[in-house]
Amino acid sequence: MIYTVTFNPAIDYVVRLDSPLEVGEVNRARGEDCVLGGKGINVSGVLAELGCQSVALGFVAGETGAWLERGLAAQGIQTDFIHLAQGMTRINVKIKAGQETELNGAGPNIPESAMQALEAKLDALQNGDILILAGSIPASLAQTTYERLLARLEGRGVRAVVDATRDLLVNVLPFHPFLIKPNNHELGEIVGRVLNTEDEIVAAARTLQEKGARNVLVSMAGDGALLLDEQGQTHRIGCPKGKVVNSVGAGDSMVAGFVAGYLQSGDYTTALRLGTACGSATAFSLGLAKKEEIEKLLLTI
């Protein structure tokens, strides 16, 4: 089974205006949408499009949390959230008026008792299961939370996938995650230099592999992606042609596609192709990738 963790899920309230936002004035929207989000939830959503069952874990609170939970169930996404007694699941306001303005909510505080409840759920994971940890850690939790969870699972045969930045990513490497997915800029930040060539990206990825990562998947936006696998092989793939209209969730979609592709084939080249198709399909869409668009792009790469 695949499990995703979203510590601070959100309802994105997206408002569209016909003219620029006027601060201090009444602005009339021409339309609005509510999008249920969070990096782990995005991964679960794309996995569902690919026919891969997953369980979305994390924390929800209040009526907004109940709404998010019902909405995900309606999308066919299985959840097993921990319900917090205080606070409310955050609402992020996204105002699209030529330029985009965002106001992101803080979300509820997560007490130690809730973390222990999450750990109890993770104790049920078995050999061969996949745990996907993605995104930042909320302010109410220690920045060592990823390490805490992976240390608890160490030696159990659970394959961890981590999509995070800087120290959050570097500090989990001793636990030998199955996959990490920095982009080329994040990889450069980790090694302390700008990566200008493919050889430099490969060398930087290898340093993370030497520190414990089994597979390093580096996304490079319009330049495609590069994978350094656990056998030491380098795989390179370009990006399919299309117009980028949305970068939100593209990295999460790539993670979902890679994991699904590997589980279905056991082959890293196949996993990289499906991951790239999923990431591109989201980038070329207003929302997360849909099965039809993923399949169409797969034929072109």
Side-chain angles (χ1 to χ4, degrees):
M1 178 59 76
I2 304 170
Y3 297 85
T4 66
V5 177
T6 305
F7 288 101
N8 200 8
I11 298 167
D12 288 348
Y13 177 53
V14 184
V15 184
R16 298 183 299 279
L17 305 181
D18 283 325
S19 56
L21 177 69
E22 295 185 38
V23 178
E25 301 294 334
V26 175
N27 294 264
R28 302 289 182 186
R30 68 172 174 84
E32 59 259 318
D33 298 293
C34 285
V35 180
L36 309 179
K39 291 181 72 64
I41 288 170
N42 292 341
V43 174
S44 283
V46 176
L47 285 170
E49 287 291 322
L50 297 170
C52 284
Q53 186 180 9
S54 70
V55 178
L57 303 172
F59 306 95
V60 293
E63 287 301 314
T64 49
W67 185 33
L68 180 138
E69 203 166 15
R70 290 195 303 271
L72 293 176
Q75 295 174 22
I77 297 174
Q78 182 179 347
T79 64
D80 189 14
F81 291 129
I82 292 154
H83 299 88
L84 304 176
Q86 303 294 325
M88 60 180 277
T89 291
R90 63 187 174 141
I91 297 175
N92 298 331
V93 180
K94 317 279 187 178
I95 303 172
K96 295 180 180 288
Q99 291 182 318
E100 182 166 317
T101 302
E102 298 190 12
L103 178 59
N104 288 344
N109 287 332
I110 302 170
E112 173 60 21
S113 59
M115 273 301 299
Q116 292 175 3
L118 176 62
E119 289 178 320
K121 292 182 185 294
L122 295 182
D123 284 345
L125 270 60
Q126 301 176 358
N127 182 41
D129 284 343
I130 292 178
L131 176 66
I132 299 175
L133 302 173
S136 59
I137 305 295
S140 59
L141 293 178
Q143 292 300 296
T144 55
T145 295
Y146 280 177
E147 299 144 74
R148 169 179 171 173
L149 297 180
L150 295 189
R152 190 179 185 92
L153 294 171
E154 196 168 21
R156 302 246 307 272
V158 175
R159 292 171 287 185
V161 175
V162 181
D163 181 7
T165 59
R166 299 190 181 183
D167 288 348
L168 284 180
L169 186 63
V170 172
N171 292 342
V172 303
L173 298 180
F175 300 101
H176 304 290
F178 171 72
L179 177 73
I180 60 172
K181 194 213 71 64
N183 64 39
N184 54 320
H185 302 297
E186 293 164 347
L187 184 60
E189 289 175 348
I190 289 171
V191 299
R193 61 183 182 276
V194 176
L195 305 176
N196 294 309
T197 68
E198 190 171 310
D199 286 344
E200 290 174 345
I201 292 172
V202 171
R206 187 164 284 116
T207 65
L208 300 191
Q209 200 173 52
E210 290 168 353
K211 291 180 179 180
R214 289 171 57 184
N215 299 285
V216 183
L217 174 59
V218 184
S219 55
M220 298 183 288
D223 292 326
L226 182 149
L227 172 70
L228 189 62
D229 74 24
E230 57 190 324
Q231 278 85 44
Q233 300 296 312
T234 300
H235 307 258
R236 183 71 169 89
I237 193 169
C239 185
K241 292 182 179 180
K243 181 181 178 182
V244 175
V245 297
N246 165 47
S247 61
V248 176
D252 308 325
S253 302
M254 174 174 270
V255 168
F258 186 94
V259 169
Y262 183 76
L263 287 178
Q264 291 164 0
S265 70
D267 176 69
Y268 286 122
T269 300
T270 301
L272 181 60
R273 285 185 67 241
L274 185 54
T276 301
C278 289
S280 298
T282 289
F284 301 159
S285 307
L286 290 175
L288 289 177
K290 297 299 183 183
K291 180 180 179 181
E292 297 78 11
E293 185 64 21
I294 295 168
E295 292 176 344
K296 187 188 305 181
L297 291 178
L298 260 180
L299 299 175
T300 71
I301 56 178

